[in-house]
Amino acid sequence: MPVIKKSPLVMECRVADIYNTNGFESFICKISNTYVEEEYLNESGKINYHELKPVLFEFPTYEYLRTGEVIGKCLSFKNNKTV
Protein backbone atom coordinates (compact mmCIF):
# COMPACT_ATOMS: atom_id res chain seq x y z
CA MET A 1 0.00 0.00 0.00
CA PRO A 2 1.23 3.53 -0.58
CA VAL A 3 2.71 5.27 2.46
CA ILE A 4 2.56 9.07 2.69
CA LYS A 5 6.21 10.02 3.22
CA LYS A 6 5.55 13.39 4.88
CA SER A 7 2.99 12.05 7.36
CA PRO A 8 4.24 11.28 10.89
CA LEU A 9 1.51 8.61 11.23
CA VAL A 10 0.25 6.12 8.66
CA MET A 11 -2.30 3.41 9.35
CA GLU A 12 -2.47 0.39 7.05
CA CYS A 13 -5.99 -1.05 6.96
CA ARG A 14 -7.82 -3.89 5.30
CA VAL A 15 -11.46 -3.77 4.29
CA ALA A 16 -13.51 -6.01 6.58
CA ASP A 17 -16.94 -5.19 5.19
CA ILE A 18 -18.72 -2.86 2.77
CA TYR A 19 -22.12 -1.28 3.37
CA ASN A 20 -23.91 0.10 0.33
CA THR A 21 -25.99 3.16 1.16
CA ASN A 22 -27.83 5.66 -0.99
CA GLY A 23 -25.12 7.34 -3.06
CA PHE A 24 -22.19 5.97 -1.06
CA GLU A 25 -20.27 2.86 -0.14
CA SER A 26 -19.16 2.73 3.47
CA PHE A 27 -16.02 0.70 4.10
CA ILE A 28 -15.52 -0.91 7.50
CA CYS A 29 -11.78 -1.33 7.96
CA LYS A 30 -9.54 -3.12 10.44
CA ILE A 31 -6.11 -1.73 11.22
CA SER A 32 -3.33 -4.06 10.03
CA ASN A 33 -0.28 -1.93 10.89
CA THR A 34 0.50 1.48 12.29
CA TYR A 35 3.64 3.40 11.38
CA VAL A 36 4.61 6.44 13.46
CA GLU A 37 7.74 8.55 13.79
CA GLU A 38 9.53 7.81 17.06
CA GLU A 39 9.33 11.43 18.24
CA TYR A 40 5.55 10.96 18.60
CA LEU A 41 5.79 7.95 20.93
CA ASN A 42 5.49 8.24 24.70
CA GLU A 43 7.71 6.47 27.22
CA SER A 44 5.52 3.33 26.89
CA GLY A 45 5.97 3.19 23.11
CA LYS A 46 2.37 4.30 22.47
CA ILE A 47 1.31 7.17 20.21
CA ASN A 48 1.32 10.49 22.09
CA TYR A 49 -1.81 12.17 20.71
CA HIS A 50 -1.07 15.34 22.71
CA GLU A 51 1.96 15.86 20.45
CA LEU A 52 0.84 14.24 17.19
CA LYS A 53 -2.70 15.75 16.96
CA PRO A 54 -4.02 13.70 14.02
CA VAL A 55 -6.56 15.03 11.53
CA LEU A 56 -10.03 13.52 11.12
CA PHE A 57 -11.92 13.56 7.84
CA GLU A 58 -15.67 13.84 8.38
CA PHE A 59 -17.63 12.51 5.38
CA PRO A 60 -21.08 14.14 5.64
CA THR A 61 -19.60 17.67 5.54
CA TYR A 62 -16.35 16.84 3.72
CA GLU A 63 -14.33 18.68 6.36
CA TYR A 64 -10.98 18.02 8.00
CA LEU A 65 -11.03 18.39 11.78
CA ARG A 66 -8.07 18.97 14.08
CA THR A 67 -7.85 16.62 17.08
CA GLY A 68 -5.60 16.41 20.11
CA GLU A 69 -7.26 18.59 22.76
CA VAL A 70 -8.23 16.76 25.95
CA ILE A 71 -11.73 17.75 27.04
CA GLY A 72 -12.06 15.31 29.95
CA LYS A 73 -11.05 11.97 31.37
CA CYS A 74 -13.46 9.15 30.53
CA LEU A 75 -13.41 7.49 33.94
CA SER A 76 -13.09 10.66 36.02
CA PHE A 77 -16.56 9.99 37.45
CA LYS A 78 -15.72 6.40 38.53
CA ASN A 79 -15.14 7.15 42.25
CA ASN A 80 -17.97 9.68 42.44
CA LYS A 81 -21.06 7.81 43.68
CA THR A 82 -23.55 10.51 42.63
CA VAL A 83 -25.57 9.97 39.47
Coordinates of all heavy atoms in Angstrom, one line a residue:
M1 N 0.8 -1.2 0.0 CA 0.0 0.0 0.0 C 0.9 1.2 0.0 O 2.0 1.2 0.5 CB -0.9 0.0 1.2 CG -0.4 0.5 2.5 SD -1.7 0.7 3.7 CE -1.8 2.5 3.7
P2 N 0.4 2.3 -0.6 CA 1.2 3.5 -0.6 C 1.3 4.1 0.8 O 0.3 4.1 1.6 CB 0.5 4.5 -1.5 CG -0.9 3.9 -1.7 CD -0.8 2.4 -1.3
V3 N 2.5 4.6 1.2 CA 2.7 5.3 2.5 C 3.0 6.7 2.2 O 3.9 7.0 1.4 CB 3.9 4.6 3.2 CG1 4.2 5.4 4.5 CG2 3.5 3.2 3.6
I4 N 2.3 7.6 2.9 CA 2.6 9.1 2.7 C 3.9 9.4 3.4 O 4.0 9.3 4.6 CB 1.4 9.9 3.2 CG1 0.1 9.5 2.6 CG2 1.6 11.4 3.1 CD1 -1.2 10.0 3.2
K5 N 4.9 9.8 2.7 CA 6.2 10.0 3.2 C 6.3 11.2 4.2 O 7.0 11.1 5.1 CB 7.2 10.2 2.1 CG 7.5 9.0 1.3 CD 8.5 9.2 0.2 CE 8.7 7.9 -0.6 NZ 9.7 8.0 -1.6
K6 N 5.5 12.2 4.0 CA 5.5 13.4 4.9 C 4.6 13.3 6.0 O 4.4 14.3 6.8 CB 5.3 14.7 4.1 CG 6.4 14.9 3.1 CD 6.3 16.3 2.5 CE 7.5 16.5 1.6 NZ 7.5 17.9 1.1
S7 N 3.9 12.2 6.2 CA 3.0 12.0 7.4 C 3.7 11.4 8.5 O 4.3 10.3 8.3 CB 1.8 11.2 6.9 OG 0.9 11.0 8.0
P8 N 3.6 11.9 9.7 CA 4.2 11.3 10.9 C 3.5 10.0 11.4 O 4.1 9.2 12.1 CB 4.2 12.4 12.0 CG 3.0 13.2 11.6 CD 3.0 13.2 10.1
L9 N 2.3 9.8 10.9 CA 1.5 8.6 11.2 C 0.8 8.1 10.0 O 0.1 8.8 9.3 CB 0.5 9.0 12.3 CG -0.6 7.9 12.6 CD1 0.1 6.7 13.4 CD2 -1.7 8.5 13.5
V10 N 1.0 6.8 9.8 CA 0.3 6.1 8.7 C -0.4 4.8 9.2 O 0.3 4.1 9.9 CB 1.2 5.8 7.5 CG1 0.5 5.0 6.4 CG2 1.8 7.0 6.9
M11 N -1.6 4.6 8.9 CA -2.3 3.4 9.3 C -2.6 2.6 8.1 O -3.2 3.1 7.2 CB -3.6 3.7 10.1 CG -3.3 4.5 11.4 SD -4.8 5.0 12.2 CE -5.0 3.6 13.2
E12 N -2.2 1.3 8.1 CA -2.5 0.4 7.1 C -3.7 -0.4 7.5 O -3.7 -1.0 8.6 CB -1.3 -0.5 6.9 CG -1.5 -1.6 5.8 CD -0.3 -2.5 5.7 OE1 0.8 -2.2 6.3 OE2 -0.4 -3.5 5.0
C13 N -4.7 -0.4 6.6 CA -6.0 -1.0 7.0 C -6.4 -2.0 5.9 O -6.0 -2.0 4.7 CB -7.1 0.0 7.1 SG -6.8 1.2 8.3
R14 N -7.2 -3.0 6.3 CA -7.8 -3.9 5.3 C -9.3 -3.8 5.4 O -9.9 -3.5 6.5 CB -7.4 -5.3 5.5 CG -7.8 -6.0 6.8 CD -7.4 -7.4 6.9 NE -7.8 -8.0 8.1 CZ -9.1 -8.5 8.3 NH1 -9.9 -8.5 7.3 NH2 -9.4 -9.0 9.4
V15 N -10.0 -3.9 4.3 CA -11.5 -3.8 4.3 C -12.1 -5.0 4.9 O -11.8 -6.1 4.4 CB -12.0 -3.5 2.9 CG1 -13.5 -3.5 2.9 CG2 -11.4 -2.2 2.3
A16 N -12.9 -4.9 5.9 CA -13.5 -6.0 6.6 C -14.9 -6.2 6.1 O -15.4 -7.3 6.1 CB -13.5 -5.8 8.1
D17 N -15.6 -5.1 5.7 CA -16.9 -5.2 5.2 C -17.3 -3.9 4.4 O -16.6 -2.9 4.6 CB -17.9 -5.3 6.4 CG -19.2 -6.0 6.0 OD1 -19.5 -6.2 4.8 OD2 -20.0 -6.3 6.9
I18 N -18.3 -4.0 3.6 CA -18.7 -2.9 2.8 C -20.2 -2.7 2.9 O -21.0 -3.7 2.8 CB -18.4 -3.0 1.3 CG1 -16.9 -3.2 1.1 CG2 -18.9 -1.8 0.5 CD1 -16.4 -3.5 -0.3
Y19 N -20.7 -1.6 3.3 CA -22.1 -1.3 3.4 C -22.5 -0.3 2.2 O -21.9 0.8 2.1 CB -22.5 -0.6 4.7 CG -22.3 -1.6 5.9 CD1 -21.2 -1.5 6.7 CD2 -23.3 -2.5 6.2 CE1 -21.0 -2.4 7.8 CE2 -23.2 -3.4 7.3 CZ -22.0 -3.3 8.0 OH -21.9 -4.1 9.1
N20 N -23.4 -0.8 1.4 CA -23.9 0.1 0.3 C -25.1 0.9 0.9 O -26.0 0.4 1.4 CB -24.4 -0.7 -0.9 CG -23.2 -1.4 -1.5 OD1 -22.2 -0.7 -1.9 ND2 -23.3 -2.7 -1.7
T21 N -24.9 2.2 0.7 CA -26.0 3.2 1.2 C -26.3 4.0 0.0 O -25.7 4.0 -1.1 CB -25.5 4.0 2.3 OG1 -24.3 4.7 2.0 CG2 -25.2 3.2 3.6
N22 N -27.4 4.8 0.1 CA -27.8 5.7 -1.0 C -26.7 6.7 -1.4 O -26.5 7.6 -0.7 CB -29.1 6.4 -0.6 CG -29.8 7.1 -1.7 OD1 -29.4 6.8 -2.9 ND2 -30.7 8.0 -1.4
G23 N -26.1 6.4 -2.5 CA -25.1 7.3 -3.1 C -23.7 7.1 -2.6 O -22.8 7.8 -3.0
F24 N -23.5 6.2 -1.6 CA -22.2 6.0 -1.1 C -22.0 4.5 -0.8 O -22.9 3.7 -0.6 CB -22.0 6.7 0.3 CG -21.9 8.2 0.2 CD1 -23.0 9.0 0.3 CD2 -20.7 8.8 -0.1 CE1 -22.9 10.3 0.2 CE2 -20.6 10.1 -0.2 CZ -21.7 10.9 -0.1
E25 N -20.7 4.1 -0.7 CA -20.3 2.9 -0.1 C -19.5 3.2 1.1 O -18.6 4.0 1.1 CB -19.4 2.1 -1.1 CG -20.0 1.6 -2.3 CD -19.1 0.9 -3.2 OE1 -17.9 1.3 -3.3 OE2 -19.5 -0.1 -3.9
S26 N -19.9 2.5 2.2 CA -19.2 2.7 3.5 C -18.3 1.5 3.7 O -18.8 0.4 3.7 CB -20.1 2.9 4.6 OG -20.9 4.1 4.4
F27 N -17.0 1.8 3.9 CA -16.0 0.7 4.1 C -15.7 0.6 5.6 O -15.4 1.6 6.2 CB -14.7 1.0 3.3 CG -14.9 1.0 1.8 CD1 -15.2 2.2 1.2 CD2 -14.9 -0.2 1.1 CE1 -15.4 2.2 -0.2 CE2 -15.0 -0.1 -0.3 CZ -15.3 1.1 -0.9
I28 N -15.9 -0.6 6.1 CA -15.5 -0.9 7.5 C -14.1 -1.5 7.4 O -14.0 -2.6 6.8 CB -16.5 -1.9 8.2 CG1 -17.9 -1.3 8.0 CG2 -16.1 -2.1 9.6 CD1 -18.2 0.0 8.6
C29 N -13.2 -0.9 8.1 CA -11.8 -1.3 8.0 C -11.2 -1.8 9.3 O -11.7 -1.3 10.4 CB -10.9 -0.2 7.4 SG -11.3 0.3 5.8
K30 N -10.3 -2.7 9.3 CA -9.5 -3.1 10.4 C -8.1 -2.7 10.2 O -7.5 -2.8 9.1 CB -9.6 -4.6 10.6 CG -11.0 -5.1 11.0 CD -11.0 -6.6 11.4 CE -12.4 -7.0 11.9 NZ -12.4 -8.3 12.4
I31 N -7.5 -2.2 11.3 CA -6.1 -1.7 11.2 C -5.2 -2.9 11.2 O -5.2 -3.8 12.0 CB -5.8 -0.8 12.4 CG1 -6.7 0.4 12.4 CG2 -4.3 -0.4 12.4 CD1 -6.6 1.2 13.6
S32 N -4.3 -3.0 10.2 CA -3.3 -4.1 10.0 C -2.0 -3.7 10.7 O -1.4 -4.5 11.3 CB -3.1 -4.4 8.6 OG -4.3 -4.8 7.9
N33 N -1.6 -2.4 10.4 CA -0.3 -1.9 10.9 C -0.4 -0.4 11.1 O -1.2 0.2 10.5 CB 0.9 -2.2 9.9 CG 1.2 -3.7 9.8 OD1 1.6 -4.3 10.8 ND2 1.0 -4.2 8.6
T34 N 0.4 0.0 12.0 CA 0.5 1.5 12.3 C 2.0 1.9 12.3 O 2.8 1.2 12.9 CB -0.1 1.8 13.7 OG1 -1.4 1.4 13.7 CG2 -0.1 3.3 13.9
Y35 N 2.3 2.9 11.5 CA 3.6 3.4 11.4 C 3.7 4.8 11.9 O 2.9 5.7 11.5 CB 4.1 3.4 9.9 CG 3.9 2.0 9.3 CD1 2.8 1.8 8.5 CD2 4.9 1.0 9.4 CE1 2.6 0.5 7.9 CE2 4.7 -0.2 8.8 CZ 3.6 -0.5 8.1 OH 3.4 -1.7 7.5
V36 N 4.5 5.1 12.9 CA 4.6 6.4 13.5 C 6.1 6.8 13.7 O 6.9 6.0 14.0 CB 3.8 6.5 14.8 CG1 4.3 5.6 15.8 CG2 3.7 7.9 15.3
E37 N 6.4 8.1 13.5 CA 7.7 8.6 13.8 C 8.0 8.5 15.3 O 7.1 8.8 16.1 CB 7.9 10.0 13.3 CG 7.9 10.1 11.8 CD 8.1 11.5 11.3 OE1 8.3 12.4 12.1 OE2 7.9 11.7 10.1
E38 N 9.2 8.1 15.7 CA 9.5 7.8 17.1 C 9.3 9.0 18.0 O 9.0 8.9 19.1 CB 11.0 7.3 17.2 CG 11.1 5.9 16.7 CD 12.5 5.3 17.0 OE1 13.1 5.7 18.0 OE2 12.9 4.4 16.3
E39 N 9.5 10.2 17.4 CA 9.3 11.4 18.2 C 7.9 11.6 18.8 O 7.7 12.4 19.7 CB 9.8 12.7 17.5 CG 8.9 13.0 16.3 CD 9.4 14.2 15.5 OE1 9.1 15.3 15.8 OE2 10.2 13.9 14.5
Y40 N 6.9 10.9 18.2 CA 5.5 11.0 18.6 C 5.1 9.8 19.5 O 3.9 9.6 19.7 CB 4.6 11.1 17.4 CG 4.8 12.4 16.6 CD1 5.5 12.4 15.4 CD2 4.4 13.6 17.2 CE1 5.7 13.6 14.8 CE2 4.6 14.8 16.5 CZ 5.3 14.8 15.3 OH 5.5 15.9 14.7
L41 N 6.1 9.0 20.0 CA 5.8 8.0 20.9 C 6.1 8.4 22.3 O 7.0 9.2 22.6 CB 6.7 6.7 20.6 CG 6.5 6.1 19.3 CD1 7.5 5.0 19.1 CD2 5.1 5.6 19.1
N42 N 5.2 7.9 23.3 CA 5.5 8.2 24.7 C 6.5 7.2 25.3 O 7.0 6.4 24.6 CB 4.2 8.3 25.5 CG 3.4 7.0 25.5 OD1 4.0 5.9 25.3 ND2 2.1 7.0 25.8
E43 N 6.7 7.3 26.6 CA 7.7 6.5 27.2 C 7.3 5.0 27.2 O 8.1 4.1 27.4 CB 8.0 6.9 28.7 CG 6.8 7.0 29.6 CD 5.9 8.2 29.4 OE1 6.3 9.2 28.8 OE2 4.8 8.2 29.9
S44 N 6.0 4.7 27.0 CA 5.5 3.3 26.9 C 5.5 2.8 25.5 O 5.1 1.7 25.2 CB 4.1 3.2 27.5 OG 4.1 3.7 28.8
G45 N 6.0 3.6 24.5 CA 6.0 3.2 23.1 C 4.6 3.3 22.4 O 4.4 2.8 21.3
K46 N 3.7 4.0 23.0 CA 2.4 4.3 22.5 C 2.3 5.7 21.8 O 3.1 6.6 22.2 CB 1.3 4.2 23.6 CG 1.3 3.0 24.4 CD 0.7 1.9 23.6 CE 0.5 0.6 24.5 NZ 0.0 -0.5 23.8
I47 N 1.4 5.9 20.9 CA 1.3 7.2 20.2 C 0.9 8.2 21.2 O -0.1 8.1 22.0 CB 0.3 7.1 19.1 CG1 0.8 6.1 18.0 CG2 0.1 8.5 18.4 CD1 -0.3 5.8 17.0
N48 N 1.6 9.4 21.2 CA 1.3 10.5 22.1 C 0.4 11.5 21.3 O 0.9 12.3 20.5 CB 2.6 11.2 22.5 CG 2.4 12.3 23.5 OD1 1.2 12.8 23.6 ND2 3.4 12.7 24.2
Y49 N -0.9 11.3 21.5 CA -1.8 12.2 20.7 C -1.8 13.6 21.1 O -2.3 14.5 20.4 CB -3.2 11.6 20.8 CG -3.4 10.3 20.1 CD1 -3.4 9.1 20.8 CD2 -3.4 10.3 18.7 CE1 -3.5 7.9 20.1 CE2 -3.5 9.1 18.0 CZ -3.6 7.9 18.7 OH -3.7 6.7 18.0
H50 N -1.2 13.9 22.3 CA -1.1 15.3 22.7 C -0.1 16.0 21.8 O -0.2 17.2 21.6 CB -0.6 15.4 24.2 CG -1.5 14.8 25.1 ND1 -2.6 15.5 25.6 CD2 -1.6 13.6 25.7 CE1 -3.3 14.7 26.5 NE2 -2.7 13.5 26.5
E51 N 0.9 15.3 21.3 CA 2.0 15.9 20.4 C 1.6 15.7 19.0 O 1.8 16.6 18.2 CB 3.3 15.2 20.7 CG 3.9 15.5 22.1 CD 4.2 17.0 22.3 OE1 4.7 17.6 21.3 OE2 4.0 17.5 23.4
L52 N 1.1 14.6 18.6 CA 0.8 14.2 17.2 C -0.4 15.0 16.6 O -0.3 15.6 15.5 CB 0.6 12.7 17.0 CG 0.4 12.3 15.6 CD1 1.6 12.6 14.7 CD2 0.0 10.8 15.5
K53 N -1.5 15.1 17.4 CA -2.7 15.8 17.0 C -3.1 15.4 15.5 O -3.1 16.2 14.6 CB -2.5 17.3 17.1 CG -2.2 17.7 18.5 CD -2.1 19.1 18.7 CE -1.7 19.4 20.1 NZ -1.4 20.8 20.4
P54 N -3.6 14.1 15.4 CA -4.0 13.7 14.0 C -5.2 14.5 13.5 O -5.9 15.1 14.3 CB -4.4 12.2 14.2 CG -4.6 12.1 15.7 CD -3.8 13.1 16.4
V55 N -5.5 14.4 12.2 CA -6.6 15.0 11.5 C -7.6 14.0 11.2 O -7.3 12.9 10.9 CB -6.1 15.7 10.2 CG1 -7.2 16.2 9.4 CG2 -5.1 16.8 10.6
L56 N -8.9 14.4 11.4 CA -10.0 13.5 11.1 C -10.8 14.0 9.9 O -11.0 15.2 9.8 CB -11.0 13.5 12.3 CG -12.3 12.8 12.2 CD1 -12.1 11.3 12.0 CD2 -13.2 13.1 13.4
F57 N -11.1 13.2 9.0 CA -11.9 13.6 7.8 C -13.3 13.1 8.1 O -13.6 12.0 8.4 CB -11.4 12.9 6.5 CG -12.3 13.2 5.4 CD1 -12.3 14.5 4.8 CD2 -13.2 12.3 4.8 CE1 -13.0 14.8 3.7 CE2 -14.0 12.6 3.7 CZ -13.9 13.9 3.2
E58 N -14.3 14.1 8.1 CA -15.7 13.8 8.4 C -16.5 13.9 7.1 O -16.5 14.9 6.4 CB -16.2 15.0 9.3 CG -17.4 14.6 10.1 CD -18.6 15.1 9.5 OE1 -18.6 16.1 8.7 OE2 -19.7 14.5 9.7
F59 N -17.0 12.7 6.7 CA -17.6 12.5 5.4 C -18.9 13.4 5.1 O -19.0 13.9 4.0 CB -18.0 11.0 5.1 CG -16.8 10.2 4.7 CD1 -16.1 9.4 5.5 CD2 -16.3 10.3 3.4 CE1 -15.0 8.7 5.1 CE2 -15.2 9.6 2.9 CZ -14.6 8.8 3.8
P60 N -19.9 13.4 6.0 CA -21.1 14.1 5.6 C -20.8 15.6 5.2 O -21.5 16.1 4.4 CB -22.0 14.1 6.9 CG -21.5 12.8 7.5 CD -20.0 12.7 7.3
T61 N -19.9 16.3 5.9 CA -19.6 17.7 5.5 C -18.3 17.9 4.7 O -18.0 19.0 4.3 CB -19.5 18.5 6.8 OG1 -18.3 18.0 7.6 CG2 -20.7 18.5 7.7
Y62 N -17.6 16.8 4.5 CA -16.3 16.8 3.7 C -15.4 17.9 4.3 O -14.8 18.7 3.6 CB -16.6 17.1 2.2 CG -17.2 16.0 1.5 CD1 -18.6 15.9 1.4 CD2 -16.4 15.0 0.9 CE1 -19.2 14.8 0.8 CE2 -17.0 13.9 0.3 CZ -18.3 13.8 0.2 OH -18.9 12.7 -0.5
E63 N -15.2 17.8 5.6 CA -14.3 18.7 6.4 C -13.2 17.9 7.1 O -13.4 16.8 7.5 CB -15.1 19.5 7.4 CG -16.1 20.4 6.9 CD -16.9 21.1 7.9 OE1 -17.4 20.5 8.9 OE2 -17.1 22.3 7.8
Y64 N -12.1 18.6 7.2 CA -11.0 18.0 8.0 C -11.0 18.7 9.4 O -11.1 19.9 9.5 CB -9.6 18.3 7.3 CG -9.5 17.5 6.0 CD1 -9.7 18.1 4.8 CD2 -9.1 16.2 6.1 CE1 -9.6 17.4 3.6 CE2 -8.9 15.5 4.9 CZ -9.2 16.1 3.7 OH -9.0 15.4 2.5
L65 N -10.9 17.9 10.4 CA -11.0 18.4 11.8 C -9.7 18.1 12.5 O -9.2 17.0 12.4 CB -12.2 17.7 12.5 CG -13.5 17.8 11.8 CD1 -14.6 16.9 12.5 CD2 -14.0 19.3 11.8
R66 N -9.3 19.1 13.3 CA -8.1 19.0 14.1 C -8.4 18.3 15.4 O -9.4 18.6 16.0 CB -7.5 20.4 14.4 CG -6.2 20.4 15.1 CD -5.7 21.8 15.4 NE -6.2 22.7 14.4 CZ -5.5 23.3 13.5 NH1 -4.2 23.0 13.4 NH2 -6.0 24.2 12.6
T67 N -7.6 17.3 15.8 CA -7.8 16.6 17.1 C -6.7 16.9 18.0 O -5.7 17.5 17.6 CB -8.0 15.1 16.9 OG1 -6.8 14.6 16.4 CG2 -9.1 14.8 15.9
G68 N -6.7 16.3 19.2 CA -5.6 16.4 20.1 C -5.9 17.1 21.4 O -5.1 17.0 22.3
E69 N -7.0 17.9 21.5 CA -7.3 18.6 22.8 C -8.0 17.7 23.7 O -9.0 17.0 23.3 CB -8.1 19.8 22.5 CG -8.5 20.6 23.7 CD -9.4 21.8 23.4 OE1 -9.6 22.1 22.2 OE2 -9.9 22.4 24.3
V70 N -7.5 17.6 24.9 CA -8.2 16.8 25.9 C -9.4 17.6 26.5 O -9.2 18.7 27.0 CB -7.3 16.3 27.1 CG1 -8.0 15.6 28.2 CG2 -6.1 15.5 26.5
I71 N -10.6 17.0 26.5 CA -11.7 17.7 27.0 C -12.2 17.1 28.3 O -13.1 17.6 29.0 CB -12.9 17.8 26.0 CG1 -13.3 16.5 25.6 CG2 -12.5 18.7 24.8 CD1 -14.6 16.5 24.7
G72 N -11.7 16.0 28.7 CA -12.1 15.3 29.9 C -11.5 13.9 30.0 O -11.2 13.3 29.0
K73 N -11.5 13.3 31.2 CA -11.0 12.0 31.4 C -12.3 11.1 31.4 O -13.2 11.4 32.2 CB -10.2 11.8 32.7 CG -9.0 12.7 32.7 CD -7.9 12.1 31.8 CE -6.6 12.9 32.0 NZ -5.6 12.4 31.2
C74 N -12.3 10.0 30.7 CA -13.5 9.2 30.5 C -13.9 8.6 31.9 O -15.1 8.6 32.2 CB -13.1 8.0 29.5 SG -14.5 6.9 29.3
L75 N -13.0 8.1 32.7 CA -13.4 7.5 33.9 C -13.3 8.4 35.1 O -13.2 8.0 36.3 CB -12.6 6.2 34.1 CG -12.8 5.1 33.1 CD1 -11.9 3.9 33.4 CD2 -14.3 4.7 33.1
S76 N -13.3 9.7 34.9 CA -13.1 10.7 36.0 C -14.2 10.6 37.0 O -14.1 11.0 38.2 CB -12.9 12.1 35.5 OG -14.1 12.5 34.8
F77 N -15.4 10.1 36.6 CA -16.6 10.0 37.4 C -16.6 8.7 38.2 O -17.5 8.5 39.1 CB -17.8 10.1 36.6 CG -18.0 9.0 35.6 CD1 -18.5 7.8 35.9 CD2 -17.4 9.2 34.3 CE1 -18.6 6.8 34.9 CE2 -17.5 8.2 33.3 CZ -18.1 7.0 33.7
K78 N -15.7 7.8 38.0 CA -15.7 6.4 38.5 C -15.9 6.4 40.1 O -16.7 5.6 40.6 CB -14.5 5.6 38.1 CG -14.4 4.2 38.6 CD -13.2 3.5 38.0 CE -13.2 2.1 38.5 NZ -12.0 1.4 38.1
N79 N -15.1 7.2 40.8 CA -15.1 7.2 42.2 C -16.2 8.1 42.8 O -16.4 8.1 44.0 CB -13.8 7.5 42.8 CG -12.7 6.5 42.5 OD1 -13.0 5.3 42.4 ND2 -11.5 6.9 42.2
N80 N -16.9 8.8 42.0 CA -18.0 9.7 42.4 C -19.3 8.9 42.4 O -19.7 8.5 41.4 CB -18.1 10.9 41.5 CG -19.0 11.9 42.1 OD1 -19.8 11.7 43.0 ND2 -19.0 13.1 41.4
K81 N -19.9 8.7 43.6 CA -21.1 7.8 43.7 C -22.3 8.5 43.2 O -23.4 7.9 43.1 CB -21.2 7.3 45.1 CG -20.0 6.6 45.7 CD -20.0 5.2 45.3 CE -18.8 4.5 45.9 NZ -18.5 3.2 45.5
T82 N -22.3 9.8 43.0 CA -23.6 10.5 42.6 C -23.9 10.2 41.2 O -23.0 10.1 40.4 CB -23.4 12.0 42.9 OG1 -22.4 12.5 42.1 CG2 -23.2 12.3 44.3
V83 N -25.1 10.2 40.9 CA -25.6 10.0 39.5 C -26.2 11.2 38.9 O -26.9 11.9 39.5 CB -26.6 8.8 39.4 CG1 -27.0 8.6 38.0 CG2 -25.9 7.5 40.0

